[in-house]
Amino acid sequence: MDNSANQSWGGDSSFKTEQLQEDSSKANTPAFVNHGLLLWNQNRQQWLLNKKANRKEQLIREPKLSWNATYDSLLGSNKPFPQPIPLGEMVDFLVDIWEQEGLYD
């Protein structure tokens, strides 16, 4: 094998020296900081804290539907409800009604 073939495969010591110099110059550059990701994580943490606080308030909150509410009184007309009803509460109400009528197994 001649010397030119050896150089084409990286056997040349000058190539290694250039690579070492290039690597050492990269070490002096400051590391990349993704400020957008940092801000996103801060906002997410704040959102999660707010969500936990809201969940505690929901657990304490009184039910919106009256215990003696009927299907016809709630859904017999197309009038909007006087106040918003949480989805979970409405689903529980409907399941109870459907079970009583034999429509939900």
Side-chain angles (χ1 to χ4, degrees), residues 12-30:
D12 187 13
S13 63
S14 64
F15 173 75
K16 291 180 182 177
T17 305
E18 288 173 9
Q19 188 175 8
L20 288 174
Q21 288 173 346
E22 193 174 299
D23 290 344
S24 65
S25 68
K26 286 181 184 176
N28 294 335
T29 59

Side-chain angles (χ1 to χ4, degrees), residues 51-70:
K51 187 175 180 181
K52 286 180 184 178
N54 288 340
R55 186 166 289 159
K56 288 179 183 176
E57 288 175 12
Q58 288 175 352
L59 293 175
I60 298 170
R61 187 182 313 161
E62 291 292 320
K64 300 287 184 184
L65 292 175
S66 171
W67 64 271
N68 61 355
T70 64

Side-chain angles (χ1 to χ4, degrees), residues 1-104:
M1 189 184 252
D2 67 10
N3 195 20
S4 64
N6 190 20
Q7 287 179 355
S8 67
W9 288 98
D12 187 13
S13 63
S14 64
F15 173 75
K16 291 180 182 177
T17 305
E18 288 173 9
Q19 188 175 8
L20 288 174
Q21 288 173 346
E22 193 174 299
D23 290 344
S24 65
S25 68
K26 286 181 184 176
N28 294 335
T29 59
F32 173 75
V33 177
N34 189 338
H35 295 285
L37 178 61
L38 294 174
L39 181 61
W40 183 86
N41 283 324
Q42 288 174 344
N43 288 338
R44 183 176 185 275
Q45 289 300 320
Q46 189 63 41
W47 179 78
L48 289 174
L49 291 174
N50 290 341
K51 187 175 180 181
K52 286 180 184 178
N54 288 340
R55 186 166 289 159
K56 288 179 183 176
E57 288 175 12
Q58 288 175 352
L59 293 175
I60 298 170
R61 187 182 313 161
E62 291 292 320
K64 300 287 184 184
L65 292 175
S66 171
W67 64 271
N68 61 355
T70 64
Y71 188 89
D72 287 333
S73 68
L74 285 178
L75 304 171
S77 72
N78 58 359
K79 293 180 187 176
F81 297 124
Q83 59 185 354
I85 299 173
L87 179 61
E89 196 172 327
M90 181 56 80
V91 168
D92 290 341
F93 171 78
L94 291 172
V95 167
D96 289 343
I97 297 293
W98 294 336
E99 283 177 341
Q100 289 172 8
E101 296 180 358
L103 299 174
Y104 185 81

